[in-house]
């Protein structure tokens, strides 16, 4: 049987890989999986073809006797929050390709609790999809009218504010620059920060499916403009979201861009101090730095490493009795008290509360962490080739301490690196850290040469 779902839903170049025909069939298969008469809430980000995919999915759902509700443009965590807090919805569908390049779109299936469905549920839906086991409604069992779920953004913002000391943050009169990448984060984060008494500046703030401001993935490269502008206006913090705003990469007042394992470690440490009754553990992917363990370990917090992917982290937290936090180096942060999925706006509010509570500037907070210099890059290659390269590297580095939960992580004396085939793009991802920028560059050179010599052999 074929595979429909990748590590985070269905993704593809819109109208060539992800066609309306395919979206229709996905809608039908999800509809057939649910009980007849179930209610499904659908939302979308700003991406091209989002309306087309929404209508195709809706048509498929309706053909199976499902009632469809529409939340409109909304960040993924916003839709997830509405699902969690409204018992009338049996499932959700988010039309998004998250951080992928602009030509992509995708479909993410969510449970009635707002969490991405498990791999087992995906398999059941795949079986329906590939075997065509549909359950068409009779002519008089079709509910035609899509009903709007109005006010979703406002409900979501209220949900975040419920967990935050609004007065404390307001008293600090922070200045923050937000870069939502011309997508749905623009609808939430500036509004949320305004409610927290923050002076907000927004760049790339109008919705535009062509992503004219920057690519949808928040990286050191794509956020360089945010970094420059926030230093110019003397902002206390910068926030860069991905296309569906479940991630937030933070920038300190000096313009330094910090990966999510850094900001995640700081926030998790803060939450652990604030709520002492929480289980003393955090979950993070193998792509996070060893500094997570050094920093949180010193506070008596256990770090549980997982394969890369926020869905895995969400399910682990749910299955293993809760956690202080789950987070990823890519900027995803889960605050389980709010909801057990990553949430870029929630993360931003928590970081501001930590700044207000400690009285420390963002750069002063980040300087509390052990120092490693990271490099993240990717080499374009098909998945089969990427898997082969990782296998060959495993042989080459067999005398080192390694972790192979996902890809290959190699631990050196004062450095580490991870190579893994991406689950969402045809690339080999490389992450590494060393104690100085020069050593990090040297390490990258060595790894690239290793990879080149492997590719030359085949
Ligand atoms: Mg995302």
């Amino acid at each position: 049987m074929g595979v429909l779902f990748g590590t985070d839903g269905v993704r593809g170049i819109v109208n060539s890989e992800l066609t309306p025909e395919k979206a229709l069939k996905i809608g039908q298969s999800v509809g057939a999986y649910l009980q007849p008469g179930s209610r499904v809430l659908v939302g979308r980000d700003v991406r091209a073809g989002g309306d087309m995919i929404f209508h195709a999915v809706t048509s498929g759902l309706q053909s199976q006797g499902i009632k469809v509700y529409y939340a409109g443009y909304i960040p993924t965590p916003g839709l997830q929050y509405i699902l969690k807090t409204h018992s009338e919805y049996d499932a959700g569908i988010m039309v998004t390709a998250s951080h992928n390049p602009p030509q992509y779109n995708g479909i993410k299936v969510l449970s009635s609790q707002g969490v991405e469905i498990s791999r087992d549920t995906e398999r059941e839906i795949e079986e329906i999809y590939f075997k065509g086991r549909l359950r068409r409604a009779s002519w008089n069992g079709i509910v035609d009218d899509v009903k709007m779920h109005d006010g979703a953004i406002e409900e979501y913002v209220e949900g975040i504010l419920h967990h935050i000391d609004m007065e404390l943050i307001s008293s600090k009169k922070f200045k923050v620059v937000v870069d939502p990448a011309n997508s749905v984060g623009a609808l939430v984060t500036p509004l949320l920060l305004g409610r927290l008494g923050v002076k907000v500046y927004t760049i790339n703030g109008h919705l535009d499916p062509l992503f004219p401001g920057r690519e949808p993935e928040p990286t050191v490269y794509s956020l360089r403009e945010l970094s420059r502008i926030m230093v110019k206006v003397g902002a206390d913090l910068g926030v860069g979201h991905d296309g569906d705003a479940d991630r937030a990469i933070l920038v300190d007042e000096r313009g330094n861009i910090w990966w999510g394992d850094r900001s995640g470690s700081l926030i998790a440490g803060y939450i652990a101090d604030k709520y002492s009754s929480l289980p003393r553990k955090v979950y993070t992917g193998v792509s996070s730095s060893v500094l997570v363990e050094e920093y949180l370990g010193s506070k008596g917090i256990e770090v549980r490493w997982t394969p890369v992917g926020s869905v895995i982290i969400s399910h682990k937290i749910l299955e293993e009795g809760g956690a202080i936090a789950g987070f990823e180096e890519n900027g995803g942060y889960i605050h389980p008290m709010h909801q057990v999925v990553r949430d870029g706006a929630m993360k931003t509010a928590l970081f501001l509360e930590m700044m207000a509570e400690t009285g420390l500037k963002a750069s002063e907070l980040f300087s509390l962490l052990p120092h490693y210099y990271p490099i993240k890059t990717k080499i374009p290659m098909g998945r089969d080739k990427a898997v082969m390269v990782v296998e060959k590297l495993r042989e080459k580095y067999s005398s080192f301490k390694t972790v192979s939960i996902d890809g290959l992580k190699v631990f050196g004396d004062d450095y580490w690196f991870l190579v893994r085939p991406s689950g969402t793009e045809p690339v080999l991802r490389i992450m590494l850290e060393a104690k100085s920028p020069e050593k990090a560059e040297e390490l990258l050179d060595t790894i690239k040469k290793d990879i080149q010599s492997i590719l030359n052999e085949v």
Side-chain angles (χ1 to χ4, degrees):
M1 200 177 71
V3 173
L4 182 62
F5 295 98
T7 53
D8 206 354
V10 180
R11 301 264 176 92
I13 295 174
V14 73
N15 222 15
S16 65
E17 293 164 355
L18 181 57
T19 57
E21 293 90 332
K22 188 170 183 179
L24 172 78
K25 211 172 151 191
I26 292 168
Q28 288 177 317
S29 305
V30 173
Y33 171 78
L34 296 167
Q35 296 297 317
S38 291
R39 295 155 196 248
V40 175
L41 180 65
V42 186
R44 62 168 293 208
D45 69 11
V46 75
R47 284 175 181 276
D51 194 60
M52 174 182 82
I53 301 295
F54 160 66
H55 284 287
V57 166
T58 297
S59 176
L61 288 166
Q62 287 173 329
S63 76
Q64 309 299 302
I66 302 298
K67 297 173 187 165
V68 179
Y69 295 74
Y70 187 42
Y73 286 125
I74 190 166
T76 299
L79 191 76
Q80 292 174 309
Y81 180 78
I82 301 298
L83 288 166
K84 186 198 153 190
T85 51
H86 285 261
S87 57
E88 65 265 34
Y89 299 122
D90 302 293
I93 289 184
M94 182 69 192
V95 180
T96 177
S98 185
H99 64 279
N100 283 165
Q103 64 270 32
Y104 282 78
N105 213 324
I107 293 171
K108 203 191 253 271
V109 184
L110 307 166
S111 75
S112 62
Q113 288 303 300
V115 179
E116 289 86 349
I117 54 171
S118 66
R119 186 67 200 120
D120 286 344
T121 306
E122 285 181 347
R123 282 209 188 88
E124 289 184 53
I125 295 170
E126 280 169 349
E127 180 146 346
I128 296 168
Y129 180 95
F130 288 108
K131 294 188 177 164
R133 285 190 185 149
L134 302 179
R135 183 204 55 219
R136 288 179 199 280
S138 64
W139 68 272
N140 56 0
I142 300 165
V143 182
D144 273 328
D145 294 327
V146 173
K147 292 199 176 64
M148 290 299 295
H149 182 112
D150 291 321
I153 298 275
E154 182 58 30
E155 281 183 56
Y156 169 49
V157 168
E158 282 295 329
I160 293 170
L161 291 172
H162 177 71
H163 296 281
I164 290 294
D165 189 336
M166 293 172 67
E167 266 179 46
L168 177 66
I169 296 177
S170 290
S171 71
K172 299 292 179 181
K173 307 277 181 241
F174 288 128
K175 277 192 212 175
V176 176
V177 184
V178 180
D179 179 352
N182 298 106
S183 192
V184 287
L187 302 174
V188 167
T189 305
L191 177 68
L192 170 75
L193 296 180
R195 298 280 290 280
L196 290 170
V198 170
K199 168 85 174 142
V200 189
Y201 302 82
T202 306
I203 63 168
N204 304 321
H206 67 285
L207 299 187
D208 191 329
L210 301 180
F211 292 91
R214 65 167 170 89
E215 60 174 279
E217 179 161 24
T219 64
V220 170
Y221 180 74
S222 68
L223 298 182
R224 67 199 185 286
E225 202 173 12
L226 168 66
S227 161
R228 273 204 303 270
I229 288 169
M230 50 162 305
V231 171
K232 283 237 161 87
V233 301
D236 301 289
L237 190 69
V239 184
H241 290 305
D242 69 329
D244 63 335
D246 54 359
R247 288 157 52 174
I249 290 287
L250 303 180
V251 187
D252 72 28
E253 79 286 355
R254 295 178 176 176
N256 298 308
I257 298 163
W258 294 93
W259 291 117
D261 45 359
R262 272 73 173 167
S263 47
S265 295
L266 288 171
I267 301 169
Y270 167 69
I271 295 296
D273 291 344
K274 186 172 173 183
Y275 302 99
S276 55
S277 62
L278 290 174
R280 308 285 290 178
K281 56 189 163 80
V282 302
Y283 291 81
T284 194
V286 287
S287 53
S288 286
S289 171
V290 294
L291 74 78
V292 176
E293 218 159 36
E294 288 177 40
Y295 179 71
L296 293 176
S298 71
K299 290 174 170 284
I301 297 165
E302 181 199 347
V303 176
R304 297 204 180 165
W305 299 99
T306 71
V308 173
S310 74
V311 181
I312 295 167
I313 297 178
S314 291
H315 284 271
K316 287 252 177 221
I317 293 175
L318 288 168
E319 286 157 16
E320 297 179 5
I324 292 162
F327 57 85
E328 307 173 286
E329 52 74 42
N330 67 19
Y333 187 91
I334 298 169
H335 186 45
M337 280 183 245
H338 166 55
Q339 56 178 347
V340 189
V341 293
R342 56 190 176 174
D343 188 324
M346 183 77 245
K347 173 180 177 177
T348 304
L350 288 172
F351 197 89
L352 285 173
E353 187 187 279
M354 173 171 60
M355 284 170 64
E357 183 74 47
T358 58
L360 295 175
K361 292 178 179 168
S363 67
E364 293 168 340
L365 283 163
F366 285 109
S367 73
L368 301 174
L369 298 169
H371 293 279
Y372 281 93
Y373 295 85
I375 296 180
K376 278 204 327 186
T377 186
K378 54 190 176 185
I379 301 179
M381 67 177 80
R383 189 172 168 87
D384 289 349
K385 198 174 249 184
V387 169
M388 182 276 291
V389 166
V390 170
E391 277 311 312
K392 296 274 182 196
L393 285 171
R394 201 190 313 279
E395 289 165 25
K396 184 171 171 66
Y397 285 90
S398 59
S399 63
F400 285 67
K401 182 191 165 194
T402 59
V403 168
S404 298
I405 305 174
D406 185 4
L408 174 72
K409 189 169 187 171
V410 175
F411 297 82
D413 298 332
D414 51 1
Y415 66 88
W416 65 272
F417 70 86
L418 174 72
V419 283
R420 55 178 286 272
S422 165
T424 52
E425 282 176 74
V427 298
L428 178 71
R429 292 191 188 282
I430 302 173
M431 296 175 172
L432 60 91
E433 289 188 347
K435 285 287 184 184
S436 75
E438 297 75 27
K439 286 198 169 157
E441 287 293 344
E442 266 173 44
L443 180 57
L444 178 61
D445 261 6
T446 308
I447 297 165
K448 278 186 168 169
K449 276 181 193 145
D450 289 342
I451 292 169
Q452 199 48 56
S453 73
I454 290 168
L455 292 175
N456 290 344
E457 278 169 29
V458 291

